Amino acid sequence: MKTQNFTTTISVDQTPQEAFAAINNVRGWWSGNIEGDTGKPGAVFTYRYKNVHYSKQRITEFIPGKKLVWHVLDSELSFAKDKSEWNDTDIVFEISEKEGNTEVCFTHTGLVPQYECYDSCSNAWGMLINGNLRKLITTGKSQPDAFA
């Protein structure tokens, strides 16, 4: 049986370079507190949303205008029995040109339906990618808390 990682794709009029720059402006679209450098290969940053979610990511792939991968080193999801379900998963952004637009394919590799957090996390990613990130790419303006 094929593993069903969470994935969603958006299409925008902006260039792949503009989409890549917006993705790297993590504080502009991922609602929560972010500490550390989010814009260079090998950098490590943490994400925290209230007492609900904590994760630490390392940037493992950084190909401007094409691809970005964050490897989750550590996580704590307060709402799941296994609070470390995100550990050793990868958050992947693949950027391509398609029919005159830029496509951003987001995949959280390892976030699968068998995980307790899948429904909550996939809903949150859907709001963040299809809402906040799309708006940041298209307007250039940081987005408010998607969960408020």
Side-chain angles (χ1 to χ4, degrees):
M1 184 171 97
K2 187 178 175 197
T3 304
Q4 295 294 313
N5 299 303
F6 175 75
T7 189
T8 188
T9 301
I10 59 173
S11 181
V12 295
D13 291 335
Q14 287 64 32
T15 67
Q17 292 73 22
E18 289 170 313
F20 189 82
I23 294 165
N24 280 310
N25 178 9
V26 182
R27 291 168 181 86
W29 64 268
W30 198 2
S31 302
N33 183 38
I34 294 166
E35 293 181 11
D37 190 342
T38 62
K40 66 180 180 187
V44 174
F45 68 95
T46 61
Y47 168 81
R48 183 178 306 275
Y49 189 80
K50 300 183 179 178
N51 64 349
V52 177
H53 177 126
Y54 162 83
S55 59
K56 179 192 271 186
Q57 292 72 222
R58 176 184 310 281
I59 301 171
T60 56
E61 285 189 60
F62 190 91
I63 306 166
K66 302 238 180 252
K67 189 173 185 180
L68 187 62
V69 179
W70 305 334
H71 181 72
V72 180
L73 302 168
D74 189 28
S75 65
E76 185 172 332
L77 308 173
S78 67
F79 53 90
K81 285 183 189 125
D82 178 358
K83 299 185 180 325
S84 62
E85 283 186 335
W86 278 30
N87 287 12
D88 291 322
T89 63
D90 289 301
I91 298 167
V92 181
F93 301 85
E94 294 176 297
I95 304 166
S96 60
E97 291 184 78
K98 189 169 184 182
E99 299 173 7
N101 289 326
T102 296
E103 230 176 52
V104 176
C105 179
F106 170 89
T107 303
H108 190 155
T109 305
L111 178 61
V112 293
Q114 294 80 9
Y115 278 7
E116 180 185 359
C117 80
Y118 183 83
D119 287 342
S120 296
C121 293
S122 60
N123 285 338
W125 277 133
M127 288 191 314
L128 290 166
I129 302 303
N130 295 301
N132 278 13
L133 180 58
R134 177 194 300 272
K135 288 176 191 165
L136 178 60
I137 294 169
T138 59
T139 68
K141 295 179 182 169
S142 292
Q143 297 300 303
D145 185 344
F147 310 120

